[in-house]
């Protein structure tokens, strides 16, 4: 169905769980790579759910939506005591 959907709570549940599991496999490294460069704006903007979420959040561009998504994901890494890399 395309990239992760930032408008859905399930997305954040999955990402949080995935990062928690990855952090146990890091071999002692404090770094945790979060990705983020994979976002295809055309895909997000073609999704009515994402567009509606953007309006609700006061976001006016795909890049603003990407920042809002990454801020949440950065919080997951911080709560795990890891240093995020994007």
């Amino acid at each position: 169905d395309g990239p992760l959907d930032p408008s859905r709570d399930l997305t954040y549940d999955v990402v949080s769980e995935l990062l928690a599991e990855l952090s146990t496999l890091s071999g002692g490294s404090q770094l945790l790579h979060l990705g983020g460069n994979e976002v295809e704006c055309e895909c997000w903007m073609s999704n009515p759910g994402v567009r509606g979420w953007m309006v609700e959040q006061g976001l006016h561009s795909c890049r603003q939506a990407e920042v809002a998504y990454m801020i949440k994901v950065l919080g997951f890494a911080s709560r795990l005591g890891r240093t995020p890399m994007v």
Side-chain angles (χ1 to χ4, degrees):
D1 276 281
L4 296 172
D5 183 339
S7 69
R8 299 179 64 205
D9 290 337
L10 178 60
T11 296
Y12 300 102
D13 294 343
V14 169
V15 170
S16 176
E17 290 293 322
L18 178 63
L19 292 177
E21 186 171 333
L22 287 173
S23 72
T24 67
L25 304 173
S26 65
S29 173
Q30 288 300 108
L31 299 175
L32 188 58
H33 185 262
L34 304 180
N37 60 327
E38 300 86 6
V39 173
E40 292 289 334
C41 285
E42 296 82 22
C43 188
W44 273 9
M45 298 310 291
S46 70
N47 181 325
V50 172
R51 288 195 316 269
W53 170 78
M54 288 174 64
V55 169
E56 290 171 6
Q57 299 296 313
L59 306 172
H60 304 289
S61 70
C62 180
R63 292 298 165 221
Q64 288 179 333
E66 186 177 8
V67 168
Y69 167 79
M70 287 306 297
I71 286 171
K72 280 188 115 170
V73 174
L74 287 166
F76 299 150
S78 294
R79 283 192 288 282
L80 291 168
R82 303 294 182 184
T83 301
M85 292 178 13
V86 179

